[in-house]
Amino acid sequence: MANLRITLAGLDLDNPIMLASGILDSTPGILQRMAETGAGALITKSISLKPRPGYPGPTTVEIAPGTWINAMGLPNPGLEEFLNEFPLTTLSVPVIPNLVADTPDEFAKLAAGVAAAGAKIAEINLSCPHPKAAYGGSLTAQDPEAAAAVVAATTKHLPVIAKLTPNVADIGTVAVACARAGAAAISAINTLAALDVDPELERPLLGNGFGGLSGVAIRPIGLRKVLEIVQALNHANFDTPVIGMGGISSAEDVVRYLLCGAHSVQIGTSLTGDPEHMSAITRGLAEWMDRKGYRELADFRGRILEWFS
Ligand code: RRO
């Protein structure tokens, strides 16, 4: 029988499949529901110090089957309300808060807040793809030094997972900078910077104009970026675990990321409207391992790397 258990940055998980930030996690009730699907861990919607209303609609549009563009605009109740309302320590699976801020100081305040409330680890969002409606503005994870500064400021309070953007030429350099600054894990990819247009209305599809692309179309990009991160970390002698995501909609997709060297994965867009899909994917992973005769995830993790050496 396949053993799906992993230890990630000191956290014991029943399986390597996590709920990604931003999908089915915006209320305590939905998070509770997702805990019952057998996910290994649940990442919350990004939390900022102050409440944010989000952008005007439309905020999410399916532009091709299984492929979405979004600009939610980080809607969230703010740290204080989040800590009052959300079950950080009482669910049957670990809840990992996702933190978002503009400066290392703000990130540090968020990290201190969730650590004091009992969080064992946090994901830091260095990579929301549409910081401004107008052209301009860069993402923290587009600058290795800026990303490392946030990691250094937050790891003083609790271990962190640095969530990276695919919108860079060399994601490996950013990952290594984060690992060197003490990141407990790297997660990638956030959505791809995108724009879609409504030809009838002669306007951008989304209320914010710019958005981020997710879903099945981005899977090959996610796989390549994860492979590049794993290669760069190996080359720099870091054993920092990588959490892969982008376009996962089946157990086979999970396997694809693990073969590229990911220790675990996150699933988001494909769960839209169907929490039970999470259970089916987890069962499918165990069945795939049984059929292949693999007992542990480590038995096949990173198998694809030898093709690129
Ligand atoms: O809230 C959003 O619009 C959003 C975030 Br914080 C993110 O990290 N990635 C994304 O595609 N949308």
Side-chain angles (χ1 to χ4, degrees):
M1 269 289 282
N3 173 23
L4 297 186
R5 294 190 67 82
I6 56 160
T7 303
L8 190 94
L11 209 60
D12 289 325
L13 308 182
D14 284 347
N15 68 69
I17 304 178
M18 307 178 183
L19 173 69
S21 176
I23 309 277
L24 302 177
D25 59 1
S26 56
T27 67
I30 296 172
L31 219 48
Q32 167 78 48
R33 174 75 190 82
M34 288 310 295
E36 291 156 13
T37 64
L42 308 174
I43 320 274
T44 73
K45 177 72 188 149
S46 294
I47 303 304
S48 49
L49 280 175
K50 299 268 176 276
R52 288 182 56 113
Y55 292 141
T59 54
T60 55
V61 181
E62 189 175 21
I63 59 166
T67 298
W68 291 70
I69 188 167
N70 90 83
M72 306 282 296
L74 309 99
N76 79 92
L79 179 65
E80 198 183 326
E81 195 64 23
F82 171 76
L83 294 179
N84 286 337
E85 278 185 13
F86 277 69
L88 261 189
T89 54
T90 52
L91 293 186
S92 53
V93 297
V95 174
I96 302 178
N98 177 299
L99 312 178
V100 71
D102 291 327
T103 65
D105 269 3
E106 282 177 22
F107 267 109
K109 283 192 185 120
L110 285 163
V114 296
K120 297 279 175 275
I121 188 166
E123 182 174 67
I124 50 175
N125 187 352
L126 307 174
S127 51
C128 184
H130 40 72
K132 294 197 183 94
Y135 174 76
S138 62
L139 313 182
T140 308
Q142 286 173 330
D143 174 352
E145 280 178 25
V150 174
V151 171
T154 46
T155 42
K156 289 181 192 142
H157 301 285
L158 79 175
V160 297
I161 304 164
K163 184 168 179 178
L164 304 188
T165 176
N167 301 306
V168 287
D170 180 7
I171 200 167
T173 302
V174 188
V176 169
C178 289
R180 194 163 281 130
I186 306 291
S187 60
I189 56 175
N190 205 322
T191 50
L192 281 142
L195 168 69
D196 210 351
V197 168
D198 187 325
E200 205 47 48
L201 299 178
E202 303 178 23
R203 52 154 289 169
L205 213 48
L206 295 173
N208 180 58
F210 292 141
L213 197 69
S214 68
V216 294
I218 76 165
R219 192 191 73 219
I221 300 170
L223 289 171
R224 177 165 177 162
K225 296 289 180 185
V226 163
L227 188 99
E228 287 179 10
I229 292 170
V230 172
Q231 283 180 321
L233 290 170
N234 286 348
H235 186 71
N237 288 321
F238 285 104
D239 58 4
T240 315
V242 177
I243 306 171
M245 82 194 90
I248 295 177
S249 65
S250 66
E252 287 74 21
D253 293 343
V254 173
V255 169
R256 290 182 167 105
Y257 274 93
L258 300 179
L259 286 170
C260 286
H263 276 68
S264 66
V265 296
Q266 295 180 14
I267 305 184
T269 302
S270 78
L271 299 175
T272 309
D274 183 12
E276 276 316 312
H277 194 46
M278 179 66 105
S279 324
I281 292 178
T282 310
R283 272 198 312 276
L285 174 61
E287 283 163 14
W288 180 88
M289 286 173 65
D290 286 342
R291 183 165 60 78
K292 289 280 193 164
Y294 291 129
R295 168 132 178 81
E296 305 292 334
L297 295 162
D299 294 345
F300 63 97
R301 180 189 306 133
R303 266 273 161 95
I304 292 293
L305 283 157
E306 67 196 49
W307 287 78
F308 299 91
S309 57

